[in-house]
Amino acid sequence: MHLSVFSLLILGFGVISSRCAWPDAPLVTSGRWIHNAKGDNVTYAGVNWPGAADVMIPEGLQYASIASIVSGIKSLGMNAIRLTFAIEMIDDIIDGGGDVTVSAAFNKALGTTNGPVVYNKVLQNNPQFSASTTRVQVYDAIAAECFKQQIYVHLDNHMSKGGWCCSTTDGNAWFGDTYFDVTKWKRGLQFMVTRGAKWGNLMSIGMRNELRNPEDNATLNTNSYNWPTWQTNMEAAAKVINAANPDILIFFSGLNFDTTLAPVVAGTGSGITFNKSDFTFPDKIVLELHNYQNSATSCSSIESSLVSDGFSTLTTTTGNQLPMVLTEWGHDQSNNDYEGVYASCLHSYLPAEHVGWTIWVLAGSYYIRSGTQDYDETWGLYNHNWTAWRSTAAIDSLTKMVQATLA
Ligand SMILES: *[C@@H]1O[C@H](CO)[C@@H](O)[C@H](O)[C@H]1NC(C)=O
Ligand SMILES: *[C@@H]1O[C@H](CO)[C@@H](O)[C@H](O)[C@H]1NC(C)=O
Ligand SMILES: *[C@@H]1O[C@H](CO)[C@@H](O)[C@H](O)[C@H]1NC(C)=O
Ligand SMILES: *[C@@H]1O[C@H](CO)[C@@H](O)[C@H](O)[C@H]1NC(C)=O
């Protein structure tokens, strides 16, 4: 085929503009930093958008449009969402021979009286959806709106069986637990990162939220809940993800509800040897922790816990130096907690350490939580009906943290 000089010029500009256009993917790590394709540091300052509960559809759509919710996130200056999903959704797609429609999902989770009522509100607010829209298409739509508004998507596998997370007896606690089928888990991760490769703004994925001791299964708890089992499964899943989507960062969460990664940072101990350079994709590995020391009485105690839990990865010279993201922390938004010890501490400490974060939680209410429909979330940034912030004072304070993080 003959290419004119003119078309070559157009092709040339196409290459240049795609290399320099947001989101400047892929992200890579270098030591403790995350860089975009231009070599600039990237730090997440974002919010959790839950989608892994019983309905397995991201929350809030019966009250607001996707566009208005994303605009709200953008108005805070945030650059990322941690979008959670349940493996059961993918099981339904693959084993059930097609995704469940949004309409069927509401009927199943909320019953045939309330289900259609909530579903119709979802359609009123989001008229681009219809009777044939499936759950995973809602994920596509959220990602597309985030792309439009230049917000990164970080996927998080929150649960195997859709439901409120997390307890040690919910059957989702550990590899091999009642609902935590390891094969289906890896298949689900593979499915979502393959799908997300088309979004353009899927930058990373958390392999599993809050691994914890499966207390109601003594055998599993005693023989399997340990670092060697963690390493076997997390490394295997990371390889599946990287093979399916080599561009995205892969977040490794720790034990005890993702509050410790100490042996991983040290690289040795607790029965494991972990070396990022043993991976064929060492520049895709990121660590994530959660922190809910909400009753701490001093910032120094929070800081020292974070360092020993895994923030030492930022400065270690003998262990694995990796980026760290605090993918969950949060507090009641309906009182003065935003100016208490815990929130004030993280508001200053995380930006000072150049650590990314996603606060729990965007939701003003949940479709259903632990059996209660239209459950009010007092930790939610939004009010019950997702129309305004729950507390403008708390939001002002959070907005300053976003600015400090991205400064
Ligand atoms: C990333 O930010 C840190 C801290 O400000 C700085 O030391 C480092 O040089 C930056 N890296 C790049 C590639 O900008
Ligand atoms: C505990 O977990 C193991 C591993 O998945 C399973 O084979 C066993 O049936 C479980 N035991 C109980 C009592 O649930
Ligand atoms: C990982 O392996 C490299 C290359 O062998 C070595 O230089 C480094 O010290 C190891 N790191 C850890 C944490 O063991
Ligand atoms: C949303 O809730 C607020 C109070 O929380 C109320 O004032 C407002 O009328 C509600 N809006 C809708 C559309 O329900």
Side-chain angles (χ1 to χ4, degrees), residues 83 85-91 94 155-160 175 180-197 199 202 204-209 233-245 248 250-251 288:
L83 185 59
F85 68 93
I87 294 295
E88 187 183 352
M89 176 177 72
I90 298 101
D91 296 344
I94 297 175
L155 278 175
D156 174 70
N157 173 229
H158 215 66
M159 293 287 272
S160 284
F175 312 102
F180 194 163
D181 179 315
V182 172
T183 305
K184 289 182 177 171
W185 170 60
K186 287 187 281 201
R187 181 182 73 172
L189 294 172
Q190 181 181 39
F191 179 94
M192 288 305 279
V193 302
T194 303
R195 183 129 187 146
W199 297 342
L202 176 65
S204 51
I205 185 167
M207 288 189 280
R208 186 73 174 190
N209 181 64
N233 288 294
M234 297 296 261
E235 287 190 2
K239 285 174 187 164
V240 168
I241 289 167
N242 184 260
N245 184 337
I248 61 173
I250 303 170
F251 283 32
E288 62 171 319

Side-chain angles (χ1 to χ4, degrees), residues 175-178 216-217 219-220:
F175 312 102
D177 203 355
T178 311
D216 53 359
N217 185 326
T219 313
L220 200 60

Side-chain angles (χ1 to χ4, degrees), residues 265-267 273-278 318-320:
V265 174
T273 304
F274 185 95
N275 192 328
K276 68 174 176 183
S277 52
D278 291 342
T318 54
N320 291 293

Side-chain angles (χ1 to χ4, degrees), residues 212-230:
R212 52 201 178 270
N213 53 319
E215 224 171 10
D216 53 359
N217 185 326
T219 313
L220 200 60
N221 207 9
T222 308
N223 300 335
S224 172
Y225 182 68
N226 54 44
W227 285 104
T229 306
W230 176 93

Side-chain angles (χ1 to χ4, degrees), residues 315-377:
T315 52
T316 183
T317 51
T318 54
N320 291 293
Q321 196 174 107
L322 293 163
M324 170 64 72
V325 179
L326 195 69
T327 48
E328 279 191 33
W329 64 282
H331 54 83
D332 197 327
Q333 295 281 324
S334 66
N335 58 24
N336 287 338
D337 281 3
Y338 70 93
E339 52 187 3
V341 170
Y342 168 79
S344 307
C345 182
L346 294 179
H347 284 184
S348 60
Y349 183 62
L350 299 180
E353 296 298 314
H354 304 284
V355 166
W357 51 269
T358 49
I359 190 172
W360 189 272
V361 60
L362 181 66
S365 50
Y366 301 107
Y367 302 125
I368 182 169
R369 169 171 157 180
S370 308
T372 303
Q373 296 191 20
D374 200 27
Y375 187 106
D376 189 48
E377 174 54 281

